[in-house]
Structures are given as structure tokens and as C-alpha cells.
């Protein structure tokens, strides 16, 4: 049977009823990213970097995120659990702790295609795509990703500010323009 967006939403919604939803979603994503061709078929090929919303409700948000080659997104928090399932390229995660002034680094994790990462609701991370191909993943969040107020931090100064989706959109736009010039 061909995989459809509805199947992805149904399976993640069902996972919310489990005792530990984030881990149940991880199991779902483990299976989905093991068949990247089926995801490509269901979601369409990636030709530029950006965020595609597959589902957005109070208790669950599902995104397809494609990081443009060379792109980096500044540190941010989600204030809800998140599960990232890579199915193309690689996403480099850097983690941070709140410090007396701004943030301090707290390790990192490279996430190649086929890997699934669970993030607790207090995680602060930045992401980068250092490869010359799109880094493509399903991002599943245990809440309304777009409406919950939260913070992001400047990459250089680590100054805290409210999460700014317009800033993120401009980062994608600039990275896509640079990539198109090179391609
Ligand atoms: Fe994030």
C-alpha cells in the first residue's frame, strides 16, 4: 500500500495515546525513515529548503523540514517534546544550557539519514546542514509548534529574544538564494 500524508498523521496521532507519546512517536519515525522512497513519494521531492506543515493541532504538529545546504538555524527551544526523523542528508545538532548570561555549549549530535532523535521539552539546540545536499526530516512536536511562546538566541551574542519565525523564513530565503547561485 502506498504511504500517504494521512497515514503519517494517523500513526503519530495514535502514538499520542500511548503511555510515553514521544517514545511511541520515535518508534513510528524509526519505521518511516527506514523507507525514504515512500516518504519522498508521499511528501514530494525537495527542490528548495523550507518547512512544510503536514499537521498542526493543539496536541500535535508534524512538519517536513528541509535544511538548505550551508544553512544554520540559531539556538532555540520548543517547550514541548520533539522527535526528529532524518530521511535524507544529515542534520548537525548543537546543544546548549542556559547560563548566567545567555547560553553555554552542551555537546552535539550528528544526525544522518535513518536516525531518529528524541528531544525533551527543555532542550535548546541549533541545527546546521554542512553537506552539499538537502537535510530532510520529519519533525514531530507534542503541541502546537507555531503558537506556544518561546525563546531563541542570537548565534553570536547568545542574546535571548522571542522566537521569530520571520527571521527563520529569511534564513531559508537567503540560504536558498545562495544555493541556487551555486547549483
Ligand atoms: Fe528545533
Amino acid at each position: 500500500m502506498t504511504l500517504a500524508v494521512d497515514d503519517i498523521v494517523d500513526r503519530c496521532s495514535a502514538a499520542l495515546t500511548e503511555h510515553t507519546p514521544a517514545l511511541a512517536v520515535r518508534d513510528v519515525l524509526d519505521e518511516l525513515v527506514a523507507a525514504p522512497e515512500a516518504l519522498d513519494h508521499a511528501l514530494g521531492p525537495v527542490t528548495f529548503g523550507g518547512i512544510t506543515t503536514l499537521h498542526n493541532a493543539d496536541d500535535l504538529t508534524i512538519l517536513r523540514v528541509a535544511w538548505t545546504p550551508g544553512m544554520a538555524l540559531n539556538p532555540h527551544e520548543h517547550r514541548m517534546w520533539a522527535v526528529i526523523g532524518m530521511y535524507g542528508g544529515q542534520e548537525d545538532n548543537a546543544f546548549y544550557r542556559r547560563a548566567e548570561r545567555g547560553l553555554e555549549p552542551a555537546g552535539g549530535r550528528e544526525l544522518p539519514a535513518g536516525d531518529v532523535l528524541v528531544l525533551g521539552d527543555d532542550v535548546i539546540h541549533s541545527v546546521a546542514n554542512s553537506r552539499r545536499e538537502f537535510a530532510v526530516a520529519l519533525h514531530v512536536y507534542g503541541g502546537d509548534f507555531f503558537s506556544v511562546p518561546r525563546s531563541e538566541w542570537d548565534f553570536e551574542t547568545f542574546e535571548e529574544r522571542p522566537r521569530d519565525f520571520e527571521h527563520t523564513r529569511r534564513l531559508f530565503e537567503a540560504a536558498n538564494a545562495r544555493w541556487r547561485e551555486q547549483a
Side-chain angles (χ1 to χ4, degrees):
M1 209 183 78
T2 319
L3 180 75
V5 171
D6 283 350
D7 301 322
I8 299 169
V9 175
D10 288 349
R11 291 177 66 179
C12 290
S13 298
L16 292 187
T17 65
E18 300 282 331
H19 183 59
T20 48
L23 299 185
V25 166
R26 180 195 61 193
D27 292 345
V28 171
L29 292 195
D30 268 334
E31 281 184 31
L32 289 173
V33 301
E37 324 73 36
L39 285 170
D40 267 338
H41 189 264
L43 305 176
V46 171
T47 51
F48 54 88
I51 295 175
T52 308
T53 303
L54 308 180
H55 180 74
N56 185 217
D58 285 349
D59 59 347
L60 180 69
T61 302
I62 306 173
L63 311 175
R64 196 272 297 275
V65 178
W67 304 115
T68 311
M71 183 175 176
L73 178 63
N74 50 296
H76 59 276
E77 60 178 1
H78 310 120
R79 295 195 194 173
M80 59 188 71
W81 58 256
V83 189
I84 301 170
M86 296 300 297
Y87 70 94
Q90 175 177 301
E91 176 182 304
D92 300 332
N93 275 260
F95 300 110
Y96 306 86
R97 275 188 291 267
R98 284 177 184 274
E100 209 164 305
R101 295 186 55 150
L103 299 175
E104 59 186 27
R109 164 112 181 248
E110 290 181 351
L111 214 58
D115 269 21
V116 176
L117 178 66
V118 178
L119 302 173
D121 54 11
D122 58 350
V123 162
I124 300 169
H125 74 155
S126 62
V127 292
N129 178 6
S130 55
R131 296 194 169 186
R132 292 190 57 78
E133 59 181 326
F134 288 97
V136 190
L138 288 173
H139 290 224
V140 181
Y141 302 87
D144 183 346
F145 178 80
F146 295 103
S147 299
V148 170
R150 53 221 156 92
S151 292
E152 63 178 39
W153 287 262
D154 185 88
F155 236 136
E156 260 105 57
T157 64
F158 284 161
E159 194 181 321
E160 187 170 353
R161 60 183 184 232
R163 186 83 161 92
D164 179 355
F165 284 111
E166 181 54 27
H167 177 254
T168 303
R169 197 191 59 74
R170 286 197 305 272
L171 283 179
F172 271 114
E173 212 169 76
N176 285 332
R178 279 197 306 273
W179 178 242
R180 268 193 297 266
E181 262 169 39
Q182 290 173 32

